[in-house]
Amino acid sequence: DGGSLHALMLDRKATFDEAIRRLSDDPATTERLLGNRYYRAVSTRMTGSQEYMATEKLYELVHSGDFDVVVVDTPPSQHAIEFFHAPARLQNLFDGPVMARLVNPGRGLTGGGTRRLVRWLLSLVGQEVLDDISEFFKLMSHVSSGFAAHSAAVAKLLRSGDSKLLVVTSPATPARAGAMAFIEQARSDGLAVHGFVINRYIAPTGVGDNDVPTGTPDDLDPDAWPAWRDTLTAYAARHDAIAARHAKAADELSAAAGKAPVWALPYLPTGLRSAEGLGMLARYLPPLGEPRKG
């Protein structure tokens, strides 16, 4: 009661710019960095920068103190792990030996291997671009420690009791295989999966042999009833066979994550087309909905 819901679509360039301004204590250095051509390429197109800025935005939102809960909706599970890996990868780039030589050209650029690397880079991009790259890393050295501290804080947060990792998937074999792979990768990264949300879940009909009328219903032709009865019985059997596969899929996912709870969202034949429909599904989700019983 009295709460509010906020949403945003990450703008990685704007987030990168904001982070640079927060972390830099020298306005002149800040403006030079924001105007650097290589920085503009990194902040808009570099692989991993989207995920890296997502962690930076998460740090900003959590530490603002303005929100009770922050929900991060990642890409599908086969790519979601990049959200956890990207900060370390970019930090390794900033701390790597080649970049250290670009930041301090007097320390080792004359070595044989480094000279060959510089000649190769020059042949590819030219001196002007190489100067931009060198300047970028020099300027980034003023804020890289701040980025490293934020990345470490987010990594600690994601592995703490304050975070819950829910995997959204479906009972279909390809989606379930992707979720299983994600569970293994998460475990190796020190992350625990706290539960699953399964879309388009089909529950058993609950219809048994004793529920099928033996006599003809009053509003049906006695000659037509046997065909109706056999068709409906066969439909229920097919439905229950699918339900059994879905139940097995849910059990396998739960077991793979240490008996993590599973919330099952029912299959909607007409799809989901309105806010009212979303509201209807809310009763199946935590905290309103109870996990599926195994």
Side-chain angles (χ1 to χ4, degrees), residues 52-76:
Y52 187 61
M53 284 302 104
T55 63
E56 182 64 31
K57 178 60 73 174
L58 178 58
Y59 177 91
E60 174 193 332
L61 295 173
V62 168
H63 287 82
S64 72
D66 294 334
F67 304 99
D68 299 308
V69 177
V70 179
V71 178
V72 180
D73 180 23
T74 70

Side-chain angles (χ1 to χ4, degrees), residues 97-156:
V98 173
M99 298 315 164
R101 291 188 175 97
L102 287 171
V103 171
N104 299 288
R107 296 172 52 195
L109 276 178
T110 57
T114 308
R115 276 202 309 270
R116 286 193 295 273
L117 173 62
V118 171
R119 284 199 299 269
W120 178 70
L121 286 172
L122 283 171
S123 69
L124 286 177
V125 300
Q127 184 65 53
E128 186 177 3
V129 173
L130 193 58
D131 288 344
D132 280 340
I133 295 173
S134 179
E135 181 189 47
F136 166 76
F137 282 99
K138 288 178 185 177
L139 297 171
M140 279 297 296
S141 66
H142 294 280
V143 295
S144 60
S145 61
F147 278 122
H150 289 187
S151 296
V154 170
K156 183 178 180 180

